[in-house]
Amino acid sequence: MQLTVKLFAFFRDGRFKEEGREYPAGTKVGEIVADLGIDPDEVGVVMINSLQSSLKATVAEGDNLAIFPVIGGG
Amino acid sequence: MTEKIFRVNMTDLTTSVEAVPAAWAGHGGRGLTSTIVAAEVEPTCHPLGPKNKLVFAPGLLSGTIAANSGRLSVGGKSPLTGTIKESNAGGTSAQFLARCGCKALIIEGQPKGDVWYSLAVTPQGVTISQEKELIGKGNFAVAETLANRLPGKLGLITIGSAGEMRMASANISVKDPDGGLRSHGRGGLGAVMGSKKVKFISIDPQDGKVEIADTEKFKEANRAFAKALVDHPVSKALGQYGTNVLVNIINESGGLPTKNFTLGQFDGHEKISGETMHDTINLRGGKVKHNCHPGCVIQCSQIYNDASGKKLTSGFEYESIWAMGADCCVDNLDQIAEADRLMDDIGIDTIETSVAMGVAMEAGVLPFGDGAGILRILQEDIAKGTPLGRIIGNGAGSVGRAFGVTRVPVVKNQAIPAYDPRSIKGMGITYATSTQGADHTMGYTIATNILGVGGSVNPLVKEGQVELSRNLQIATAAIDSTGMCLFIAFAALDDATCLPALIDLINARFGIALTGDDVVNLGKYILKTERAFNTAAGFTNVDDRLPEFFYTEPVPPHNVVFDFSGEEIDTFWNF
Ligand code: SF4
């Protein structure tokens, strides 16, 4: 299945900002993080279609997946 | 050096140095400014009249080597909101005031006539001088002229032309270690300083030092505290990207107020994001990391250069970039940086002024996206005080009233900052209930609603938001009393060693034995003291509400409204 993956802050270094990517049905966010070579401990926030999600969630065809490191501000 | 209260009476131009009353002894920063304002200012007074007072107080730990402890509080009755106000900034002045032995500087009264003054603070007290040369000048000219006129590296607190003209969104600027400016931004206290005819305050600590009751314990606690800060991943990201790293994540969440709060996402988000800013700064030879005062180990500030490599602005914050960017639909970071520099020079709050521009755009004064128009209005109207400049310079509410706009994002007449309360509901509770009008720093639920720091509460549901905002507002009031930058809160929420180390620092500084409960009680006391002032000034629970349109206009992409009843909001105060 096809989905859009977006990366932020230093997760972009040596990777990409946004890419359409192909994964088998039933893939979990954690598996995509591993596939991208991102240390899961560095992941702060995951959103699927602008909703808060987690590494354990399963993605679906056409989803918009955004992966952020631990960040803050204010 | 024994701590004293430094008092300046601008009516008869006298000054005094007084012993600290017992009831004020345990307070610093916001706890002290709010205690003094509540004790000495008539709540119903006119904020720009002789009965209001302007109170500066360094935090309990300011002037020591404690990491991130150099924040200064200023308090008074706000001309923007009519409520009590505490606004907090970096720069070197808190550390220098503390080293002068100045626990608080109280400026009261009002001179007759049109003569302007400056104040000079040293460990011996305060002297008042007449000022002519710098009247009408912007903050950068004041800082540069004084660097030549006054010998040594002095602390400097100043107002620009907006403060002189007593605009309700005038800020108070504080010099940072590199001659840049940090601002006591919100609530218009620069107008109060202007109403007292004080253009600037210089601070020379001479060889003054802050006394530490137990030096060894203090050093040990500071090591643990600084380690907790440095180790936390949020601190690292703040150093690398600044607070502007938030543009993309808040946009992704659907909570980035866009086009005067009609949308929750901005098409131009990538162009104004922290990631783009980071790359631009590096490309142009600026500085990605910079501290607003010596001793900060997080360094969220930065120096942003223009395309020719010349410094354009520093301390370029997310909320300012959001306001001029997404809220006004300007996707040009250089124009936003130029506006930021102009607003620092004029001495006007970047959030209030930019949100006011967004309302002016809705009113048709200028089109959305017109960055050049914003720069023109800042220079030609606000800096010069034309009628339009004064309408905008008096804030978003003022623009709404002048042009008959109903979509005016303010609470208690103060502009709502960078997080939409419909799609990030915890922030809605903070805006509604804060004792100071809409202010994200009062109870930053973004940490838990969006960033996954200190647990996680779904931003789109009502459950848990009131409690979250309450706990954060109580903790924030206490942290604002220590002189600590609020960004220590990320480590404090996640790392169990951080808060105890902070309490150890306070105990070692004063030779006392505060507990965690004492700190929570301090936070509660501050909120209740501030609320009692507001009640006496005429505010009721009905003022703790968001503007009507948040309840009736769904915001995309989640198409949600703010759906808390008044009774639900009022449960905030059940403590
Ligand atoms: S983290 Fe930022 S705001 Fe806080 S003390 Fe450091 S530079 Fe100043």
Side-chain angles (χ1 to χ4, degrees):
Chain A
M1 66 187 174
Q2 182 76 21
L3 59 152
T4 303
V5 180
K6 298 192 233 175
L7 301 179
F8 297 90
F10 55 84
F11 284 171
R12 290 179 174 180
D13 297 348
R15 297 191 188 90
F16 55 87
K17 259 189 216 175
E18 178 172 336
E19 229 173 63
R21 292 176 75 90
E22 193 62 42
Y23 286 101
T27 304
K28 292 198 172 8
V29 175
E31 291 163 346
I32 297 176
V33 165
D35 175 55
L36 292 169
I38 292 173
D39 177 352
D41 288 341
E42 288 195 335
V43 175
V45 177
V46 169
M47 290 186 216
I48 299 177
N49 304 327
S50 290
L51 297 172
Q52 295 274 335
S53 189
S54 74
L55 295 176
K56 292 183 212 122
T58 309
V59 284
E61 168 74 29
D63 273 351
N64 231 307
L65 171 66
I67 307 169
F68 301 85
V70 183
I71 54 176
Chain B
M1 187 166 289
T2 327
E3 293 181 307
K4 301 276 189 201
I5 302 295
F6 291 17
R7 195 182 290 271
V8 177
N9 185 318
M10 293 305 296
T11 303
D12 55 16
L13 303 178
T14 56
T15 69
S16 59
V17 174
E18 302 165 5
V20 178
W24 299 358
H27 291 295
R30 174 175 170 189
L32 186 56
T33 62
S34 288
T35 297
I36 294 176
V37 172
E40 295 199 352
V41 175
E42 267 178 41
T44 51
C45 76
H46 195 293
L48 301 178
K51 289 184 177 171
N52 198 7
K53 301 192 182 191
L54 190 66
V55 183
F56 292 92
L60 290 166
L61 293 168
S62 301
T64 72
I65 55 156
N68 287 58
S69 62
R71 305 279 301 184
L72 180 64
S73 289
V74 58
K77 177 170 173 170
S78 162
L80 184 71
T81 62
T83 65
I84 199 167
K85 175 61 64 178
E86 184 266 355
S87 178
N88 174 304
T92 54
S93 289
Q95 294 169 324
F96 288 180
L97 278 174
R99 287 175 49 203
C100 286
C102 177
K103 191 168 175 72
L105 169 65
I106 305 174
I107 305 174
E108 57 194 31
Q110 193 162 59
K112 295 210 167 59
D114 211 25
V115 176
W116 283 85
Y117 299 90
S118 72
L119 307 180
V121 182
T122 68
Q124 289 78 47
V126 189
T127 50
I128 307 175
S129 308
Q130 253 201 50
E131 178 60 38
K132 286 198 182 116
E133 184 190 359
L134 294 172
I135 305 313
K137 296 281 191 300
N139 283 313
F140 290 114
V142 173
E144 270 161 39
T145 308
L146 292 178
N148 295 322
R149 191 197 296 176
L150 306 171
K153 279 209 155 193
L154 307 187
L156 176 64
I157 298 171
T158 157
I159 55 169
S161 49
E164 287 184 34
M165 290 186 275
R166 300 180 302 283
M167 290 182 184
S169 34
N171 66 21
I172 297 178
S173 297
V174 186
K175 206 164 109 171
D176 79 8
D178 304 312
L181 295 172
R182 307 290 298 190
S183 321
H184 293 284
R186 311 236 54 202
L189 292 180
V192 178
M193 191 157 147
S195 78
K196 308 222 174 284
K197 292 279 194 289
V198 175
K199 176 68 178 175
F200 69 86
I201 305 166
S202 66
I203 304 149
D204 181 1
Q206 300 167 349
D207 52 6
K209 284 210 166 46
V210 169
E211 268 170 35
I212 307 281
D214 187 334
T215 334
E216 275 320 302
K217 265 200 183 147
F218 192 87
K219 281 189 191 155
E220 198 182 306
N222 190 39
R223 268 193 294 275
F225 181 67
K227 184 172 181 332
L229 296 189
V230 173
D231 285 352
H232 196 274
V234 165
S235 306
K236 290 179 191 161
L238 275 170
Q240 192 174 1
Y241 298 99
T243 58
N244 199 32
V245 72
L246 291 174
V247 165
N248 279 337
I249 193 166
I250 303 299
N251 183 72
E252 189 66 29
S253 80
L256 189 76
T258 299
K259 206 174 183 191
N260 191 31
F261 286 75
T262 53
L263 304 166
Q265 289 177 318
F266 179 44
D267 285 343
H269 66 94
E270 193 60 45
K271 284 180 156 175
I272 63 166
S273 68
E275 287 89 340
T276 300
M277 182 165 111
H278 171 265
D279 294 347
T280 309
I281 289 174
N282 275 335
L283 196 72
R284 297 176 176 177
K287 261 172 101 172
V288 166
K289 260 186 164 188
H290 175 254
N291 55 7
C292 75
H293 69 268
C296 163
V297 297
I298 299 176
Q299 308 200 355
C300 77
S301 181
Q302 59 294 107
I303 295 183
Y304 184 93
N305 291 345
D306 65 16
S308 71
K310 198 168 144 265
K311 176 176 167 181
L312 196 51
T313 196
S314 63
F316 199 22
E317 306 261 359
Y318 163 66
E319 284 76 16
S320 313
I321 296 168
W322 155 75
M324 194 87 340
D327 196 46
C328 295
C329 298
V330 174
D331 64 4
N332 181 326
L333 200 52
D334 285 342
Q335 276 178 338
I336 299 171
E338 178 70 29
D340 191 62
R341 192 190 64 80
L342 282 170
M343 288 188 276
D344 281 353
D345 196 39
I346 297 166
I348 199 158
D349 180 28
T350 52
I351 298 175
E352 190 69 43
T353 309
S354 310
V355 173
M357 291 279 186
V359 178
M361 286 173 166
E362 171 138 353
V365 174
L366 71 170
F368 279 102
D370 184 6
I374 289 173
L375 296 174
R376 190 190 62 241
I377 289 178
L378 284 171
Q379 285 166 299
E380 299 298 319
D381 291 297
I382 298 183
K384 293 184 180 158
T386 67
L388 176 65
R390 286 174 192 262
I391 288 169
I392 296 178
N394 276 313
S398 154
V399 176
R401 284 187 295 277
F403 291 94
V405 176
T406 53
R407 194 181 297 107
V408 184
V410 295
V411 178
K412 301 184 178 77
N413 201 44
Q414 180 165 288
I416 292 181
Y419 314 91
D420 199 296
R422 289 164 288 194
S423 35
I424 311 177
K425 295 191 191 292
M427 287 313 288
I429 297 297
T430 293
Y431 299 150
T433 56
S434 151
T435 51
Q436 326 236 345
D439 185 334
H440 63 287
T441 67
M442 290 289 140
Y444 194 62
T445 71
I446 297 303
T448 312
N449 279 159
I450 301 288
L451 304 171
V453 175
S456 155
V457 172
N458 184 341
L460 290 160
V461 305
K462 285 162 70 176
E463 282 67 44
Q465 310 292 1
V466 172
E467 194 189 358
L468 174 64
S469 175
R470 184 193 297 131
N471 290 339
L472 286 169
Q473 289 199 51
I474 291 169
T476 301
I479 291 175
D480 283 344
S481 301
T482 61
M484 286 294 162
C485 159
L486 199 50
F487 294 155
I488 69 148
F490 292 105
L493 284 166
D494 275 347
D495 182 336
T497 66
C498 184
L499 262 191
L502 176 56
I503 296 170
D504 287 347
L505 276 167
I506 299 172
N507 288 338
R509 154 90 164 90
F510 295 98
I512 52 175
L514 291 182
T515 63
D517 283 350
D518 294 329
V519 174
V520 172
N521 287 332
L522 172 67
K524 291 181 177 171
Y525 152 82
I526 294 169
L527 294 185
K528 288 186 169 168
T529 302
E530 292 171 346
R531 186 167 192 239
F533 181 96
N534 294 346
T535 303
F539 287 85
T540 70
N541 61 329
V542 178
D543 295 297
D544 289 354
R545 304 290 181 259
L546 298 188
E548 189 180 21
F549 76 90
F550 287 114
Y551 298 89
T552 56
E553 292 180 12
V555 68
H558 300 299
N559 298 315
V560 283
V561 294
F562 188 73
D563 47 0
F564 282 86
S565 69
E567 292 74 36
E568 286 168 333
I569 295 173
D570 292 344
T571 62
F572 173 88
W573 287 104
N574 295 345
F575 65 86

